[in-house]
Amino acid sequence: MACYQKHLSFVSFLLLILSLHVEHSMAKEFVPVGVVLDLNSTVGGIAKRCMSMALSDFYAVKDDYNTRITLLTKNSGNDVIAAASAALDLMMNEEVHAIVGPQRSAQAKFVIELGRKAQVPIISFSATSPSLSPAQNPFFIRTALDDSAEVKAIAAIVKAYGWREIVLIYEDTDYGNGLIPYLMDAFEEIETRMPYRSAIPPFSNNSEIAQEIKKLNETNARIFLVHMTASLASKLFVLANKAGMMREGYAWIITAGLSALVDPLGPKVKESMQGVLGLRPYIPRSKQLEEFKRRWKRNLTSSKPNVKITGLNLFGLWAYDTAWALALAVEKAGIMHSGFLKKNASKSNIKSNVDLAALGISETGQILLDTILTTEFQGLSGKFHLIKGQLEPSAFEIFNVIGKTERIIGYWTIQRGLSQELDDNNEVAYSISKDKLKQPIWPGDRTEQPPKLRIGVPVKLGFDEFLKVEWDPRTNKPIISGFSHDVFLAVLKALPFPLPHEFIPFMNKDKQSAGTYDELTYQIKLQYDAVVGDTTIIANRSSYVDFTLPYSESGVSMVVLVKDNEKKNFWIFLKPLSLDLWLTTGAVFVITGVVIWVLEHRINSEFRGPRVQQLGTIFGFSFSTLVFAHSEKVLSNWSRFVMIIWFFVVLILTQSYTASLASMLTVQRLQPTFVDVKEIKKNGYFVGYQNNSYVEGLLIKQLTFDRSKLKPFNTYDDYHEALSKGIQNGGIAAVFDEIPYIKLFLAKYCSRYTMVGPTYKSDGFGFAFPLGSPLVPYISRAILNVTQDTDKLGAIERTYFSSRGSTNCEDPSTSISSNSPSLTLHSFGGLFIITGTVSLISLLVCFFKFFGSHWPTLSNSNPESSFWSKLIEMAKYFDQKEDPSSHPNIERHKSRVHAISSPDIIEPST
């Protein structure tokens, strides 16, 4: 009996516990929530497991809650229609209060529209395309970061490394296309170009992707940004590695959507991604997260074989927090399963039937939506706080794929920018700079920042002051020096960003020049990224390259041999005065003698006599005044007036002649052998130019020289030798070259040659870049800073040009004039006008007085004579001697002007 009672008591206890459990279970309200995922994908498999674990963890902690979420999961595959169909089925037939998913942005676009119609919240943790906006879709909630949130972080990285061009490779879906406008704006803000965009369809096979990679390789692009899903990116990187685009000199950045899935990628894909930079939302460490990771690893061994669940990723954490937030919201909103949908049509007996017209409106959708939007808690991925229907952006971490791991090299926040570390508030403390990131390992296992600018430099045998290429005997590597090289390095230091570079000589197998400067600039985009050297900015080159501002002035001129044979000239005494001045001076001497003869003939016996004697008196008197040695006295005051002015003219002429002749006999007088290009062409003389320079084209096209008359040279000594030979001994008549080289040549051989003729202008020496290169404005501004810094530029000039300019030479840039050095008539025109005027006035006064005293008498005595007869009679009167005492302008005492050596010493009259 006692045993029976014991068994009865035990059964009663079990019945009591069972009744309590049933009562407790019956008190809970189960709320159906739909889940639409691609369960065959990595993200879908992990998300499903994470949401299940989230609800288990939530209700283990919140056991007293009256609601329990039941997840009804549908597999959408990778199909838009399947996702929409699954969502519609869940709304109509399962009467779910919310739907988590779908997984992809393209799928979410249609499901969101269904949710708006039925007023059912659509909650996605993986549809990150900015084209899906919660602001435009009120029943859409994104429990993840919008892709546009990472754009400024990407731009900060690009700016920190000074990349001026970047190529976007993206998936041609809503997910890929949605980010493009934001990237364009961000790159425009930091003045970075996106010259090419590569859109790859999501279902492209390896052959199609390889073809696109080939196009990318042909663009010579070196910096790439990849924005696509993991399935497509895994093919891309493997094929890019095969194409040699994951080697030294390249840089790759992947966006957050792909960065979150690097771990699950296979070893072959990860091996192809060595050196890639990625960024993803920063997940702060917490005890809750560490505990979850340990449980996750334990549960991996119990996963079903057909479910793709590998390492935990960001989307899994967002899925966990989404389920947790939904459980909180359902409880807070007091959601009840009964009366979920208010049907607009009678419910079909066939539950699987999907009729869009029969879709009703959720009675609890709006309140559940409002509750979720205001829900806040500290989740596994960080603080769960929705702003305008999506997760609030926080910090991003930047990592570098090295081996099988991702090494964190820095962080970015919108408040502070880039830094190597975060502070306690998950904020960085420094501004944008690559120095605030740890040193990454770039593709090719290199620490040097890509892209390394491949700079072509000319190889020259001579004329190497601007660019010189030598070879290290130990390493056999090129050593570059010269004025152009040092200016370029100074320009790089003035840039606001780093510009890694390497100089590559433009040479053949024999280490000789591989061609002309035109051919060198043609290699830009084919072999080089830029050309540095003494490259002249000319019009035809600017059609296929962009030049910076010039860093040196230029222009083309002619150098010829000079001759100095004036001292050996037999007739050098005639050189001081030009021919026209000699002739004019002689004429004025004779005219002055005639004037004095006219004024003195009637009153001065020394100017009378036989005609031959009078002619000799005229010439003797006039030319003897040249040395102030005339012996004839003058009696007329008008004669004296003429003589005073004439002595002054003679004094100026003799002094100028003496100074000019002395200069010719004592000072070296250099004259160019040729001063006119036309003379050289007319006589068919040879001319020289610098080998491989554009001057050859100028001589042929602009100056119309025959190509057979052109000789190229490689050194200054070649110029000297060819010019020294002369035109008769197989030499050349002139050298045509750019003015900087002419200055250096004349500095070395200043006493033998000179620059003559016109200067054919060019825009100077500049650095060449590909057409449209974004580096050109930066380099040009830096050139201005360097060239305007006289100390910096002067130091470079002294390094390469001071030794050439140390000789005692005149300025080599000064051209010798082609005009004669003789004194010309123009210099003394004023003197001749003065003496001529005085002589003319004296003659007119003399004639007026003579005619005034004799014409009336002659007219009265012979009134019937003709005018010409009277003139003849007047001439006879003029030839008759007049009594000097009756002449009012004659001195009353005798006087004689003796020969003197200076006009300041005059012997007194006797």
Side-chain angles (χ1 to χ4, degrees):
M1 187 68 179
C3 183
Y4 174 76
Q5 289 178 346
K6 287 181 180 180
H7 284 290
L8 182 61
S9 299
F10 179 73
V11 171
S12 300
F13 177 74
L14 290 177
L15 290 174
L16 177 61
I17 292 176
L18 181 62
S19 63
L20 291 174
H21 178 72
V22 170
E23 181 181 356
H24 178 75
S25 299
M26 292 179 64
K28 304 300 179 182
E29 185 70 31
F30 290 93
V31 178
V33 172
V35 178
V36 179
L37 295 172
D38 179 3
L39 298 179
N40 297 323
S41 68
T42 300
V43 172
I46 292 176
K48 180 183 178 183
R49 176 65 65 91
C50 286
M51 285 192 292
S52 177
M53 293 177 67
L55 294 179
S56 297
D57 294 344
F58 180 83
Y59 292 121
V61 177
K62 308 292 184 180
D63 183 61
D64 57 332
Y65 277 19
N66 295 324
T67 55
R68 293 289 186 273
I69 288 179
T70 301
L71 297 179
L72 303 177
T73 304
K74 295 285 187 178
N75 185 6
S76 64
N78 190 18
D79 187 81
V80 174
I81 296 177
S85 178
L88 186 62
D89 180 60
L90 288 170
M91 291 178 190
M92 295 187 63
N93 299 324
E94 302 296 342
E95 298 184 346
V96 295
H97 292 265
I99 292 179
V100 178
Q103 185 174 318
R104 305 180 189 277
S105 297
Q107 298 170 338
K109 190 174 183 179
F110 294 94
V111 175
I112 289 172
E113 187 61 27
L114 293 175
R116 184 194 62 79
K117 184 176 179 63
Q119 295 188 6
V120 174
I122 307 300
I123 309 168
S124 178
F125 56 85
S126 57
T128 58
S129 173
S131 62
L132 304 175
S133 172
Q136 298 175 355
N137 302 282
F139 279 87
F140 173 56
I141 299 174
R142 180 161 32 218
T143 55
L145 291 182
D146 181 350
D147 282 338
S148 63
E150 66 182 306
V151 166
K152 290 188 178 296
I154 295 172
I157 297 173
V158 172
K159 183 177 180 180
Y161 288 109
W163 293 326
R164 300 297 105 189
E165 285 187 340
I166 190 168
V167 171
L168 175 64
I169 308 175
Y170 64 99
E171 182 178 298
D172 193 11
T173 59
D174 289 345
Y175 166 71
N177 290 297
L179 192 61
I180 293 178
Y182 300 90
L183 285 173
M184 296 293 288
D185 291 343
F187 288 151
E188 183 179 355
E189 187 175 336
I190 62 172
E191 297 182 344
T192 294
R193 286 197 321 146
M194 192 184 292
Y196 185 78
R197 298 198 301 266
S198 174
I200 300 180
F203 300 107
S204 299
N205 55 38
N206 287 350
S207 176
E208 293 168 336
I209 297 175
Q211 187 66 27
E212 187 62 28
I213 288 175
K214 182 180 178 182
K215 293 180 183 178
L216 292 172
N217 210 2
E218 291 173 351
T219 66
N220 284 324
R222 293 293 182 270
I223 311 299
F224 299 97
L225 174 64
V226 179
H227 179 61
M228 56 181 57
T229 56
S231 58
L232 189 59
S234 60
K235 301 177 185 178
L236 174 74
F237 279 105
V238 170
L239 294 172
N241 189 33
K242 290 181 179 179
M245 296 174 67
M246 300 301 299
R247 56 183 170 84
E248 178 186 2
Y250 289 84
W252 295 76
I253 304 175
I254 56 177
T255 57
L258 179 55
S259 296
L261 299 173
V262 171
D263 279 336
L265 297 176
K268 184 178 180 181
V269 176
K270 208 161 187 180
E271 182 181 351
S272 300
M273 295 178 67
Q274 296 301 298
V276 170
L277 294 186
L279 76 161
R280 56 196 173 200
Y282 170 68
I283 306 300
R285 294 183 180 181
S286 65
K287 293 181 179 180
Q288 183 184 2
L289 178 60
E290 295 301 321
E291 175 61 27
F292 181 78
K293 287 181 178 179
R294 285 193 292 268
R295 290 167 50 208
W296 180 267
K297 290 180 180 179
R298 288 197 302 267
N299 292 339
L300 281 179
T301 56
S302 61
S303 299
K304 296 180 181 180
N306 61 336
V307 179
K308 294 183 179 180
I309 300 179
T310 55
L312 186 64
N313 58 47
L314 177 65
F315 293 109
L317 299 180
W318 279 339
Y320 184 98
D321 289 346
T322 300
W324 191 285
L326 193 56
L328 273 175
V330 166
E331 179 67 23
K332 288 172 64 178
I335 301 299
M336 299 298 176
H337 181 57
S338 57
F340 168 66
L341 287 176
K342 184 186 293 181
K343 297 293 184 181
N344 293 327
S346 59
K347 188 174 179 179
S348 173
N349 293 328
I350 304 175
K351 198 171 185 178
S352 61
N353 181 36
V354 177
D355 184 5
L356 189 60
L359 183 63
I361 298 175
S362 171
E363 296 179 342
T364 60
Q366 186 64 54
I367 187 172
L368 181 59
L369 174 71
D370 295 339
T371 307
I372 295 173
L373 292 176
T374 58
T375 299
E376 294 185 27
F377 62 93
Q378 191 66 32
L380 293 184
S381 62
K383 185 178 180 180
F384 186 91
H385 178 53
L386 300 177
I387 301 295
K388 295 182 179 180
Q390 57 190 9
L391 203 60
E392 179 185 19
S394 56
F396 284 88
E397 64 180 13
I398 303 162
F399 66 88
N400 182 206
V401 179
I402 302 174
K404 297 181 180 180
T405 62
E406 299 100 53
R407 170 174 167 261
I408 305 300
I409 63 172
Y411 301 88
W412 180 89
T413 64
I414 194 171
Q415 296 86 359
R416 302 290 181 84
L418 295 175
S419 177
Q420 293 184 12
E421 302 293 342
L422 288 173
D423 59 20
D424 295 337
N425 296 320
N426 292 340
E427 292 184 356
V428 299
Y430 305 103
S431 59
I432 293 176
S433 169
K434 79 179 184 67
D435 296 331
K436 304 308 175 185
L437 296 176
K438 297 176 184 177
Q439 174 64 57
I441 304 298
W442 301 101
D445 198 25
R446 300 288 183 176
T447 58
E448 295 178 351
Q449 176 190 323
K452 186 180 289 186
L453 205 65
R454 300 165 300 173
I455 300 175
V457 294
V459 177
K460 309 171 73 173
L461 295 177
F463 308 104
D464 54 11
E465 289 81 4
F466 284 88
L467 206 294
K468 185 176 184 180
V469 179
E470 299 175 296
W471 299 92
D472 190 325
R474 294 175 300 175
T475 62
N476 200 33
K477 291 184 177 180
I479 302 173
I480 313 299
S481 60
F483 178 77
S484 300
H485 169 267
D486 287 9
V487 168
F488 183 73
L489 295 184
V491 166
L492 294 186
K493 292 180 181 179
L495 291 175
F497 50 83
L499 192 62
H501 61 279
E502 62 175 332
F503 293 104
I504 305 173
F506 182 54
M507 62 182 184
N508 54 27
K509 295 180 180 179
D510 299 326
K511 295 184 178 180
Q512 303 297 320
S513 175
T516 65
Y517 277 69
D518 285 339
E519 292 170 337
L520 171 59
T521 52
Y522 270 127
Q523 295 302 311
I524 291 180
K525 273 293 186 183
L526 300 177
Q527 184 178 352
Y528 305 121
D529 300 313
V531 167
V532 168
D534 47 344
T535 312
T536 307
I537 303 171
I538 53 177
N540 70 308
R541 291 174 183 168
S542 64
S543 63
Y544 52 88
V545 297
D546 274 349
F547 283 101
T548 63
L549 289 177
Y551 62 87
S552 177
E553 295 181 355
S554 189
V556 175
S557 192
M558 179 172 69
V559 174
V560 297
L561 187 69
V562 295
K563 55 185 178 180
D564 181 23
N565 56 357
E566 294 294 346
K567 296 178 183 179
K568 302 176 183 179
N569 190 345
F570 190 75
W571 300 99
I572 191 173
F573 69 90
L574 296 176
K575 291 293 291 183
L577 305 183
S578 63
L579 178 61
D580 56 351
L581 183 55
W582 276 119
L583 295 175
T584 304
T585 302
V588 175
F589 267 101
V590 174
I591 291 171
T592 302
V594 171
V595 170
I596 297 298
W597 179 85
V598 170
L599 295 175
E600 295 290 329
H601 177 68
R602 300 186 65 248
I603 61 175
N604 193 336
S605 60
E606 294 189 22
F607 288 87
R608 299 185 65 81
R611 296 184 184 278
V612 176
Q613 181 181 347
Q614 293 183 53
L615 186 62
T617 300
I618 291 173
F619 283 97
F621 178 84
S622 61
F623 284 100
S624 63
T625 59
L626 181 64
V627 291
F628 308 103
H630 55 284
S631 59
E632 294 81 5
K633 65 179 181 178
V634 291
L635 302 178
S636 172
N637 287 335
W638 288 105
S639 298
R640 291 189 178 96
F641 181 45
V642 172
M643 290 298 295
I644 290 172
I645 301 302
W646 177 241
F647 283 153
F648 177 72
V649 174
V650 169
L651 176 64
I652 298 299
L653 282 172
T654 54
Q655 294 295 331
S656 300
Y657 175 86
T658 302
S660 180
L661 181 61
S663 174
M664 290 183 176
L665 294 175
T666 58
V667 179
Q668 187 181 37
R669 183 69 62 177
L670 302 177
Q671 290 296 312
T673 52
F674 299 98
V675 295
D676 191 358
V677 176
K678 294 180 180 178
E679 181 184 358
I680 297 176
K681 290 194 298 181
K682 180 180 178 181
N683 293 294
Y685 297 142
F686 287 97
V687 296
Y689 66 94
Q690 185 180 153
N691 193 21
N692 292 328
S693 75
Y694 87 100
V695 176
E696 179 186 11
L698 181 143
L699 292 173
I700 296 173
K701 297 178 182 178
Q702 186 171 340
L703 300 183
T704 65
F705 272 94
D706 191 301
R707 187 184 295 273
S708 63
K709 298 299 179 181
L710 306 182
K711 292 186 177 182
F713 298 100
N714 293 311
T715 66
Y716 296 116
D717 292 336
D718 291 345
Y719 280 175
H720 171 59
E721 182 180 355
L723 286 169
S724 299
K725 287 182 178 179
I727 56 177
Q728 304 298 333
N729 301 310
I732 58 177
V735 163
F736 288 85
D737 207 343
E738 295 177 83
I739 290 177
Y741 292 109
I742 291 178
K743 289 182 177 181
L744 292 172
F745 175 68
L746 294 181
K748 184 176 182 180
Y749 299 104
C750 59
S751 63
R752 302 289 305 275
Y753 310 100
T754 186
M755 184 167 64
V756 296
T759 297
Y760 305 95
K761 290 292 185 181
S762 67
D763 287 334
F765 294 156
F767 305 128
F769 288 84
L771 279 175
S773 172
L775 290 174
V776 171
Y778 289 95
I779 298 291
S780 294
R781 284 194 287 268
I783 287 175
L784 288 177
N785 291 333
V786 171
T787 54
Q788 292 176 5
D789 188 338
T790 55
D791 293 337
K792 183 181 296 184
L793 187 63
I796 300 175
E797 289 176 341
R798 286 191 295 273
T799 301
Y800 296 100
F801 305 140
S802 60
S803 60
R804 288 293 176 87
S806 60
T807 56
N808 296 322
C809 300
E810 298 179 358
D811 183 5
S813 65
T814 303
S815 300
I816 291 181
S817 173
S818 61
N819 295 329
S820 171
S822 302
L823 299 174
T824 63
L825 175 62
H826 183 74
S827 304
F828 300 94
L831 290 175
F832 290 129
I833 291 173
I834 292 173
T835 188
T837 303
V838 170
S839 298
L840 181 61
I841 292 173
S842 300
L843 284 176
L844 290 176
V845 171
C846 176
F847 284 137
F848 281 137
K849 287 185 177 182
F850 175 76
F851 275 87
S853 60
H854 294 88
W855 186 267
T857 303
L858 184 61
S859 297
N860 293 332
S861 61
N862 299 299
E864 296 180 357
S865 299
S866 65
F867 177 77
W868 294 108
S869 299
K870 293 178 181 179
L871 284 180
I872 294 173
E873 289 297 326
M874 289 294 291
K876 292 179 180 180
Y877 281 134
F878 182 80
D879 193 45
Q880 296 176 3
K881 184 175 181 181
E882 183 179 353
D883 183 7
S885 61
S886 63
H887 201 284
N889 294 322
I890 300 176
E891 289 185 355
R892 300 306 177 187
H893 55 84
K894 294 182 177 179
S895 64
R896 181 178 295 274
V897 181
H898 295 277
I900 56 176
S901 59
S902 171
D904 298 329
I905 305 176
I906 303 177
E907 186 177 310
S909 303
T910 57

Short mmCIF file of all heavy atoms in Angstrom, two decimals, residues 190-215:
data_model
loop_
_atom_site.label_atom_id
_atom_site.label_comp_id
_atom_site.label_asym_id
_atom_site.label_seq_id
_atom_site.Cartn_x
_atom_site.Cartn_y
_atom_site.Cartn_z
N ILE A 190 38.22 64.76 -55.11
CA ILE A 190 39.66 64.66 -54.84
C ILE A 190 40.48 64.74 -56.13
O ILE A 190 41.68 64.43 -56.12
CB ILE A 190 40.00 63.36 -54.09
CG1 ILE A 190 39.65 62.12 -54.93
CG2 ILE A 190 39.30 63.32 -52.74
CD1 ILE A 190 40.12 60.81 -54.34
N GLU A 191 39.83 65.12 -57.24
CA GLU A 191 40.49 65.33 -58.53
C GLU A 191 41.18 64.05 -59.04
O GLU A 191 42.30 64.08 -59.53
CB GLU A 191 41.50 66.47 -58.44
CG GLU A 191 40.86 67.81 -58.11
CD GLU A 191 41.86 68.94 -58.07
OE1 GLU A 191 43.07 68.67 -57.99
OE2 GLU A 191 41.43 70.11 -58.11
N THR A 192 40.46 62.95 -58.90
CA THR A 192 40.92 61.68 -59.44
C THR A 192 39.99 61.27 -60.58
O THR A 192 38.77 61.29 -60.42
CB THR A 192 40.95 60.59 -58.36
OG1 THR A 192 41.93 60.92 -57.39
CG2 THR A 192 41.27 59.23 -58.95
N ARG A 193 40.58 60.91 -61.72
CA ARG A 193 39.78 60.55 -62.89
C ARG A 193 39.44 59.07 -62.87
O ARG A 193 40.18 58.25 -62.33
CB ARG A 193 40.55 60.86 -64.17
CG ARG A 193 40.63 62.32 -64.51
CD ARG A 193 41.03 62.49 -65.97
NE ARG A 193 42.02 61.53 -66.40
CZ ARG A 193 42.09 60.99 -67.63
NH1 ARG A 193 41.21 61.31 -68.52
NH2 ARG A 193 43.06 60.15 -67.95
N MET A 194 38.32 58.75 -63.49
CA MET A 194 37.96 57.36 -63.75
C MET A 194 37.86 57.21 -65.27
O MET A 194 36.78 57.33 -65.85
CB MET A 194 36.65 57.01 -63.06
CG MET A 194 36.35 55.52 -63.04
SD MET A 194 34.71 55.18 -62.31
CE MET A 194 34.98 55.65 -60.61
N PRO A 195 39.01 56.99 -65.94
CA PRO A 195 39.01 57.01 -67.41
C PRO A 195 38.28 55.84 -68.05
O PRO A 195 37.93 55.91 -69.22
CB PRO A 195 40.51 56.98 -67.75
CG PRO A 195 41.14 56.28 -66.60
CD PRO A 195 40.34 56.69 -65.39
N TYR A 196 38.08 54.78 -67.28
CA TYR A 196 37.47 53.58 -67.88
C TYR A 196 36.68 52.84 -66.80
O TYR A 196 37.11 52.75 -65.66
CB TYR A 196 38.54 52.69 -68.48
CG TYR A 196 38.01 51.49 -69.24
CD1 TYR A 196 37.51 51.64 -70.53
CD2 TYR A 196 38.00 50.22 -68.67
CE1 TYR A 196 37.01 50.54 -71.23
CE2 TYR A 196 37.51 49.13 -69.36
CZ TYR A 196 37.02 49.29 -70.64
OH TYR A 196 36.52 48.22 -71.33
N ARG A 197 35.51 52.33 -67.19
CA ARG A 197 34.71 51.51 -66.28
C ARG A 197 34.41 50.19 -66.98
O ARG A 197 33.98 50.18 -68.13
CB ARG A 197 33.41 52.21 -65.91
CG ARG A 197 33.59 53.51 -65.17
CD ARG A 197 32.30 53.92 -64.44
NE ARG A 197 31.18 54.09 -65.33
CZ ARG A 197 30.81 55.26 -65.87
NH1 ARG A 197 31.51 56.35 -65.60
NH2 ARG A 197 29.77 55.35 -66.67
N SER A 198 34.63 49.12 -66.27
CA SER A 198 34.43 47.79 -66.84
C SER A 198 33.24 47.13 -66.15
O SER A 198 33.28 46.83 -64.95
CB SER A 198 35.69 46.94 -66.64
OG SER A 198 35.46 45.61 -67.06
N ALA A 199 32.16 46.93 -66.92
CA ALA A 199 30.96 46.28 -66.39
C ALA A 199 30.97 44.81 -66.81
O ALA A 199 31.02 44.51 -68.01
CB ALA A 199 29.71 46.98 -66.90
N ILE A 200 30.91 43.92 -65.85
CA ILE A 200 30.94 42.48 -66.13
C ILE A 200 29.61 41.87 -65.71
O ILE A 200 29.23 41.97 -64.53
CB ILE A 200 32.10 41.80 -65.38
CG1 ILE A 200 33.43 42.41 -65.83
CG2 ILE A 200 32.09 40.29 -65.62
CD1 ILE A 200 34.64 41.80 -65.14
N PRO A 201 28.85 41.28 -66.63
CA PRO A 201 27.57 40.65 -66.27
C PRO A 201 27.77 39.55 -65.22
O PRO A 201 28.82 38.88 -65.19
CB PRO A 201 27.08 40.06 -67.60
CG PRO A 201 27.77 40.89 -68.64
CD PRO A 201 29.11 41.22 -68.07
N PRO A 202 26.79 39.34 -64.36
CA PRO A 202 26.97 38.40 -63.24
C PRO A 202 27.16 36.95 -63.66
O PRO A 202 27.74 36.16 -62.91
CB PRO A 202 25.69 38.59 -62.41
CG PRO A 202 24.70 39.16 -63.37
CD PRO A 202 25.48 40.00 -64.32
N PHE A 203 26.66 36.58 -64.83
CA PHE A 203 26.77 35.18 -65.25
C PHE A 203 27.83 34.99 -66.34
O PHE A 203 27.78 34.04 -67.11
CB PHE A 203 25.41 34.67 -65.75
CG PHE A 203 24.34 34.74 -64.70
CD1 PHE A 203 23.34 35.69 -64.77
CD2 PHE A 203 24.34 33.86 -63.62
CE1 PHE A 203 22.35 35.77 -63.81
CE2 PHE A 203 23.36 33.92 -62.65
CZ PHE A 203 22.36 34.89 -62.73
N SER A 204 28.80 35.88 -66.40
CA SER A 204 29.87 35.77 -67.39
C SER A 204 30.73 34.54 -67.12
O SER A 204 31.03 34.21 -65.96
CB SER A 204 30.75 37.02 -67.36
OG SER A 204 30.00 38.17 -67.66
N ASN A 205 31.12 33.89 -68.21
CA ASN A 205 32.03 32.74 -68.05
C ASN A 205 33.47 33.22 -68.08
O ASN A 205 33.77 34.40 -68.27
CB ASN A 205 31.77 31.69 -69.14
CG ASN A 205 31.88 32.29 -70.54
OD1 ASN A 205 32.73 33.14 -70.80
ND2 ASN A 205 31.01 31.85 -71.45
N ASN A 206 34.39 32.30 -67.89
CA ASN A 206 35.81 32.65 -67.82
C ASN A 206 36.31 33.31 -69.10
O ASN A 206 37.15 34.22 -69.07
CB ASN A 206 36.64 31.41 -67.51
CG ASN A 206 36.49 30.96 -66.07
OD1 ASN A 206 35.90 31.68 -65.26
ND2 ASN A 206 36.99 29.79 -65.74
N SER A 207 35.82 32.86 -70.23
CA SER A 207 36.27 33.40 -71.51
C SER A 207 35.86 34.87 -71.65
O SER A 207 36.64 35.71 -72.09
CB SER A 207 35.70 32.58 -72.65
OG SER A 207 36.05 33.15 -73.89
N GLU A 208 34.64 35.18 -71.26
CA GLU A 208 34.16 36.55 -71.35
C GLU A 208 34.90 37.48 -70.38
O GLU A 208 35.23 38.62 -70.72
CB GLU A 208 32.65 36.59 -71.08
CG GLU A 208 31.83 35.88 -72.16
CD GLU A 208 30.39 35.68 -71.75
OE1 GLU A 208 30.12 35.64 -70.54
OE2 GLU A 208 29.53 35.54 -72.66
N ILE A 209 35.16 36.97 -69.19
CA ILE A 209 35.90 37.78 -68.21
C ILE A 209 37.33 37.99 -68.67
O ILE A 209 37.89 39.09 -68.54
CB ILE A 209 35.86 37.11 -66.82
CG1 ILE A 209 34.42 37.02 -66.31
CG2 ILE A 209 36.73 37.87 -65.82
CD1 ILE A 209 34.26 36.26 -65.01
N ALA A 210 37.94 36.96 -69.23
CA ALA A 210 39.31 37.08 -69.73
C ALA A 210 39.41 38.11 -70.85
O ALA A 210 40.40 38.84 -70.95
CB ALA A 210 39.81 35.71 -70.21
N GLN A 211 38.39 38.16 -71.69
CA GLN A 211 38.38 39.15 -72.77
C GLN A 211 38.32 40.57 -72.21
O GLN A 211 39.00 41.48 -72.71
CB GLN A 211 37.17 38.88 -73.69
CG GLN A 211 37.14 39.74 -74.93
CD GLN A 211 38.28 39.43 -75.89
OE1 GLN A 211 38.80 38.32 -75.91
NE2 GLN A 211 38.68 40.42 -76.68
N GLU A 212 37.55 40.77 -71.17
CA GLU A 212 37.46 42.09 -70.54
C GLU A 212 38.77 42.45 -69.85
O GLU A 212 39.21 43.61 -69.88
CB GLU A 212 36.30 42.12 -69.55
CG GLU A 212 36.02 43.49 -68.97
CD GLU A 212 35.61 44.50 -70.01
OE1 GLU A 212 35.04 44.10 -71.05
OE2 GLU A 212 35.88 45.70 -69.80
N ILE A 213 39.41 41.48 -69.24
CA ILE A 213 40.70 41.72 -68.60
C ILE A 213 41.75 42.12 -69.63
O ILE A 213 42.60 42.99 -69.38
CB ILE A 213 41.15 40.47 -67.81
CG1 ILE A 213 40.28 40.30 -66.56
CG2 ILE A 213 42.62 40.56 -67.40
CD1 ILE A 213 40.55 39.05 -65.78
N LYS A 214 41.68 41.51 -70.80
CA LYS A 214 42.60 41.88 -71.86
C LYS A 214 42.42 43.34 -72.26
O LYS A 214 43.40 44.07 -72.49
CB LYS A 214 42.37 40.97 -73.07
CG LYS A 214 43.33 41.24 -74.23
CD LYS A 214 43.05 40.30 -75.40
CE LYS A 214 43.98 40.60 -76.57
NZ LYS A 214 43.68 39.72 -77.73
N LYS A 215 41.18 43.79 -72.34
CA LYS A 215 40.92 45.21 -72.65
C LYS A 215 41.49 46.12 -71.57
O LYS A 215 42.07 47.17 -71.87
CB LYS A 215 39.41 45.44 -72.78
CG LYS A 215 38.75 44.76 -73.96
CD LYS A 215 37.26 45.08 -73.99
CE LYS A 215 36.56 44.35 -75.14
NZ LYS A 215 35.10 44.62 -75.12
#
